[in-house]
Amino acid sequence: MMEKLTKVTGIVAPMDRPNVDTDAIIPKQFLKSIKRSGFGPNLFDEWRYLDHGEPGMDNSKRPLNPDFVLNQPRYQGAKILLARDNFGCGSSREHAPWALEDYGFRVIIAPSFADIFFNNCFKNGLLPIKLDGAIVDRLFQETAATEGYQLTVDLEAQTITTPGGEVIPFEVDAFRKHCLLNGLDDIGLTLQHVDDIKSYEARRRQEAPWLFS
Amino acid sequence: MAGKTLYDKLWDAHVVRCDDDGTCLLYIDRHLVHEVTSPQAFEGLRLAGRQPWRKDTVLATPDHNVPTDDRSKGIADPIARIQVETLDANVREFGLTYFPMGDVRQGIVHVVGPEEGGTLPGMTVVCGDSHTSTHGAFGALAHGIGTSEVEHVLATQCLVQKKSRNMLVSVDGHVGPGVTAKDIVLAIIGEIGTAGGTGYAIEFGGEAIRALSMEGRMTVCNMAIEAGARAGMVAVDETTIEYLYGKPYAPKGDLWDKAVAAWFGLHSDFDAEFDRIVRLDAGKIKPQVTWGTSPEMVVAVDGKVPDPEQEKDAVKATGMRAALKYMGLEANTPITAIPVDVVFIGSCTNARIEDFRAAAAVIKGRKKAANVKQVLVVPGSGLVKQQAEQEGLDRIFRDAGFEWREPGCSMCLAMNADRLQPGERCASTSNRNFEGRQGQGGRTHLVSPAMAAAAAIAGHFVDVREF
């Protein structure tokens, strides 16, 4: 069962570069795990630590890269990641949203996302929000200007509220919103349509029998 | 009413049901499985007490973690070994078709599927791997999915989907000698950018695409995802049908005839409407080399490393500076002045027999340059390896000082032992030049197999047309 997401208020961390790929979000050596939890300490591993990370290391003893944004004291405990265009491009690895969620992020705001990553987020209680580039630019400026800058994201109302009281509306697909609000897993929902799937198969078997041999 | 695009036809044939908001259940005909993105999905099935809906649609093989050198001792890395053993156990438990390590059919899942006739025109094909777009070369709707979706397809044979928009990328005219499918797709990505295809399914058309072999079309569709599109596809023609005839999992006898008759309808109607059309002049495409850390950072081999000072978009210029720093390159350096330390010929983009023939043709009778530390040549499957050896290509590579390896993903993503050391520069036939992709601190330049082979001999990038 996926964790529900209704309303999130939290510190915003800025990831100010376009085309952040899933290799950067969670490097390949951590994909050898057969579990779906525990990826948080290795989120952005190559940017976050000064040494080379491998599975099984005690991450609390590794040297941190002080220049990396998530290592700065002011962004500790961030729940909202502010990003640039094409966030999550590259590999389909769901380990990327697993790592972001395990680290503590619940919302990612960017002008655009890569399709597969965008889709994977919703399966894991993470809300990716697409906003106009000019608004994202402004949020970057406000985040940089104010230490402890927080946003409130209300999924039910589909709004983001800034500390200044500005309310920014956002779009979200109705089905995905319903699943996130209720922590629903898709498989159970799809299995409510077993009859439809079976009748499709019966019809398709006539039309394209080579797909069933 | 306008006609249908190829994508429209494939979509319509697989819709099980739709909600009012356009969220649909899409039926899946082929599910390819590998060791990295499946363990959590099988575990999910087990925890819920579910069985795969149609076991006959699943084809599994390990590829990301397998060693490409001596396999007699198995996998040395204990964590990687557990992952491959977990796949072994899962396919046994659920009774799925499997090509394990040691089977001659084992290899990169996107090489194995087509080679076995496991990918057919008109199919929907998914895999927990973004390069599943490869299979669109057959007039199939194929795309990568996440692990939750792997579990969803196993449990229900369906995916929850919304329809993408239609894009046509038409490569008109003919490419010159020495210009390959890889150069075509890199040029396309250079043109539309890595997010250019986001939200679209791309159909690749035009004379230059029609002229490609199935292997070339697979190379182009493989990198649709690098242009941001989950799915790329090419219409069915005689080339498609000829390739599939006699493949182990292709239909036989009467079923074959019926299938072929249906497959010839898998093209966009003449009056189909696309949401976006991009045209490239094939005659103007030159051999391509990426210079940065995103596949869109690409120039022709006779060009120079671009200068961020000339870029007007501030966010882009910042990205370019970061890329140059990571890559250890100066702006305005001629591409042919860039030396290479390592060469990798392999991956789901370029590890099929024609790729190795092209590489071997360039180097026959020559030796790798002294400054090149290692040249890895990694076939895409055991059957590709066998074929290459029958043609004597392995000898040509070995005589040149290249290493001829066992099949797998290898240094494309460096999950196994094949990886770059920090600072090493690689001419690679793979698909991603992201930071750290081929090993932490490694620097990747994406090129065609012929260009990679030529760089290995020269010790730096060269224009293969003049080599």
Side-chain angles (χ1 to χ4, degrees):
Chain A
M1 186 60 103
M2 172 171 89
E3 197 179 337
K4 286 182 193 180
L5 189 146
T6 49
K7 203 178 213 182
V8 176
T9 298
I11 288 181
V12 180
M15 182 60 60
D16 195 4
R17 54 194 287 174
N19 299 314
V20 171
D21 60 75
T22 54
D23 276 79
I25 297 172
I26 183 82
K28 81 278 292 179
Q29 60 270 34
F30 305 106
L31 272 50
K32 293 173 189 171
S33 168
I34 58 171
K35 300 190 182 126
R36 61 193 305 159
S37 57
F39 294 98
N42 300 110
L43 176 71
F44 296 114
D45 197 275
E46 290 187 9
W47 294 344
R48 189 165 154 197
Y49 300 98
L50 292 171
D51 64 345
H52 174 74
E54 282 293 332
M57 287 168 84
D58 180 353
N59 294 296
S60 65
K61 300 209 167 84
R62 296 175 56 199
L64 292 172
N65 173 7
D67 296 334
F68 182 59
V69 62
L70 294 185
N71 290 333
Q72 295 172 22
R74 62 186 287 190
Y75 299 121
Q76 295 315 299
K79 288 185 188 166
I80 298 168
L81 187 67
L82 188 60
R84 294 289 187 186
D85 265 312
N86 204 25
F87 188 84
C89 61
S91 154
S92 65
R93 59 188 70 166
E94 200 162 314
H95 311 67
W98 293 340
L100 287 159
E101 198 267 348
D102 195 52
Y103 180 89
F105 287 115
R106 299 304 307 278
V107 176
I108 307 167
I109 299 170
S112 64
F113 294 88
D115 284 339
I116 302 177
F117 174 82
F118 187 74
N119 209 25
N120 283 340
C121 284
F122 286 100
K123 319 277 180 192
N124 295 285
L126 258 182
L127 174 64
I129 299 175
K130 286 181 211 170
L131 289 184
D132 184 75
I135 299 178
V136 172
D137 259 342
R138 191 151 51 74
L139 292 178
F140 266 103
Q141 287 161 17
E142 290 180 12
T143 302
T146 315
E147 196 161 330
Y149 185 82
Q150 296 204 0
L151 290 172
T152 296
V153 176
D154 185 339
L155 177 57
E156 181 65 59
Q158 295 182 213
T159 56
I160 300 168
T161 308
T162 68
E166 185 194 359
V167 177
I168 304 163
F170 64 87
E171 296 290 319
V172 60
D173 184 275
F175 174 77
R176 285 164 160 162
K177 177 179 173 179
H178 173 71
C179 289
L180 265 185
L181 282 174
N182 298 290
L184 295 176
D185 118 65
D186 287 3
I187 295 177
L189 293 174
T190 298
L191 288 174
Q192 292 173 3
H193 303 295
V194 164
D195 292 345
D196 289 333
I197 302 172
K198 288 191 170 157
S199 63
Y200 171 87
E201 284 181 324
R203 192 174 77 236
R204 189 72 173 154
R205 195 184 283 273
Q206 297 299 314
E207 289 168 7
W210 57 88
L211 295 175
F212 292 83
S213 57
Chain B
M1 201 173 106
K4 287 181 172 185
T5 65
L6 171 59
Y7 173 62
D8 293 337
K9 292 180 185 182
L10 293 168
W11 174 269
D12 290 349
H14 290 88
V15 170
V16 171
R17 67 179 302 281
C18 285
D19 283 334
D20 293 341
D21 75 342
T23 303
C24 300
L25 278 185
L26 200 68
Y27 192 82
I28 302 303
D29 298 313
R30 176 66 70 203
H31 189 180
L32 302 165
V33 169
H34 64 82
E35 78 277 22
V36 178
T37 56
S38 67
Q40 299 86 351
F42 284 114
E43 181 67 10
L45 281 190
R46 218 171 350 255
L47 289 172
R50 291 174 177 138
Q51 282 289 315
W53 183 281
R54 265 185 68 193
K55 297 180 183 188
D56 62 310
T57 62
V58 180
L59 267 184
T61 192
D63 54 9
H64 286 59
N65 273 304
V66 297
T68 60
D69 50 5
D70 180 16
R71 286 185 174 174
S72 60
K73 294 186 192 77
I75 303 174
D77 175 352
I79 310 174
R81 191 172 63 233
I82 288 171
Q83 198 166 52
V84 173
E85 286 171 356
T86 303
L87 180 61
D88 294 345
N90 283 327
V91 296
R92 250 196 328 268
E93 177 183 341
F94 292 106
L96 307 171
T97 304
Y98 190 40
F99 305 138
M101 255 172 66
D103 187 313
V104 72
R105 296 167 297 181
Q106 178 268 332
I108 306 173
V109 70
H110 307 309
V111 174
V112 171
E115 176 176 85
E116 290 295 319
T119 303
L120 297 174
M123 273 184 165
T124 41
V125 181
V126 295
C127 175
D129 190 284
S130 59
H131 290 109
T132 310
S133 57
T134 309
H135 307 267
F138 290 83
L141 175 55
H143 57 77
I145 56 177
T147 297
S148 295
E149 290 178 317
V150 170
E151 184 182 342
H152 192 280
V153 174
L154 283 170
T156 70
Q157 210 58 43
C158 294
L159 264 187
V160 179
Q161 288 275 289
K162 270 193 164 180
K163 200 177 172 192
S164 303
R165 287 176 290 171
N166 279 289
M167 185 191 296
L168 174 67
V169 174
S170 184
V171 188
D172 304 321
H174 295 281
V175 293
V179 178
T180 68
K182 183 65 163 286
D183 302 303
I184 293 176
V185 72
L186 285 172
I188 292 170
I189 296 163
E191 177 77 22
I192 69 173
T194 47
T198 304
Y200 290 95
I202 299 181
E203 179 175 345
F204 298 100
E207 286 169 287
I209 300 292
R210 299 250 68 81
L212 291 174
S213 68
M214 285 315 294
E215 298 196 356
R217 294 177 191 183
M218 282 189 256
T219 299
V220 171
C221 289
N222 173 274
M223 291 189 70
I225 184 67
E226 265 59 66
R230 289 215 289 174
M233 62 198 79
V234 175
V236 173
D237 61 10
E238 290 288 352
T239 306
T240 325
I241 306 296
E242 269 172 39
Y243 177 96
L244 286 167
Y245 183 75
K247 292 275 188 281
Y249 287 82
K252 307 282 184 305
D254 283 353
L255 269 186
W256 169 260
D257 296 336
K258 266 191 194 167
V260 169
W263 293 343
F264 274 122
L266 293 171
H267 54 78
S268 290
D269 294 332
F270 74 93
D271 56 345
E273 282 180 10
F274 289 87
D275 301 293
R276 187 179 171 196
I277 296 177
V278 176
R279 293 190 182 279
L280 275 81
D281 180 350
K284 289 190 179 150
I285 300 176
K286 299 171 181 174
Q288 304 281 305
V289 182
T290 65
W291 57 268
T293 53
S294 165
E296 70 187 12
M297 294 172 164
V298 63
V299 289
V301 64
D302 58 3
K304 289 177 178 173
V305 175
D307 189 346
E309 303 311 318
Q310 306 297 317
E311 175 60 55
K312 290 185 188 78
D313 181 327
V315 175
K316 260 195 181 163
T318 308
M320 288 169 76
R321 279 187 207 100
L324 290 181
K325 181 165 180 253
Y326 181 84
M327 294 296 290
L329 289 173
E330 297 286 337
N332 302 313
T333 306
I335 294 296
T336 51
I338 302 172
V340 300
D341 304 308
V342 175
V343 174
F344 172 62
I345 305 175
S347 87
C348 59
T349 315
N350 282 126
R352 299 179 182 85
I353 190 68
E354 291 171 13
D355 298 317
F356 297 114
R357 285 177 189 149
V362 169
I363 63 153
K364 197 169 182 179
R366 306 201 227 193
K367 301 265 184 223
K368 79 170 175 68
N371 64 303
V372 175
K373 296 182 221 171
Q374 187 180 37
V375 184
L376 277 185
V377 188
V378 186
S381 74
L383 289 169
V384 170
K385 180 168 187 263
Q386 207 171 54
Q387 175 73 27
E389 288 172 357
Q390 277 165 13
E391 296 179 18
L393 305 182
D394 59 321
R395 279 263 51 100
I396 296 173
F397 292 129
R398 285 200 175 102
D399 289 349
F402 296 9
E403 296 173 33
W404 178 244
R405 296 291 191 96
E406 298 293 329
C409 299
S410 182
M411 202 189 273
C412 172
L413 87 165
M415 263 189 88
N416 70 351
D418 308 336
R419 60 185 75 163
L420 296 178
Q421 295 305 308
E424 281 184 340
R425 188 179 299 286
C426 181
S428 178
T429 67
S430 55
N431 40 56
R432 289 189 176 133
N433 50 353
F434 298 157
E435 284 186 22
R437 171 79 177 181
Q438 295 192 290
Q440 190 172 23
R443 295 161 170 165
T444 303
H445 296 267
L446 304 176
V447 288
S448 73
M451 284 284 289
I457 302 301
H460 55 86
F461 290 107
V462 283
D463 188 339
V464 73
R465 296 172 301 177
E466 295 160 5
F467 190 65

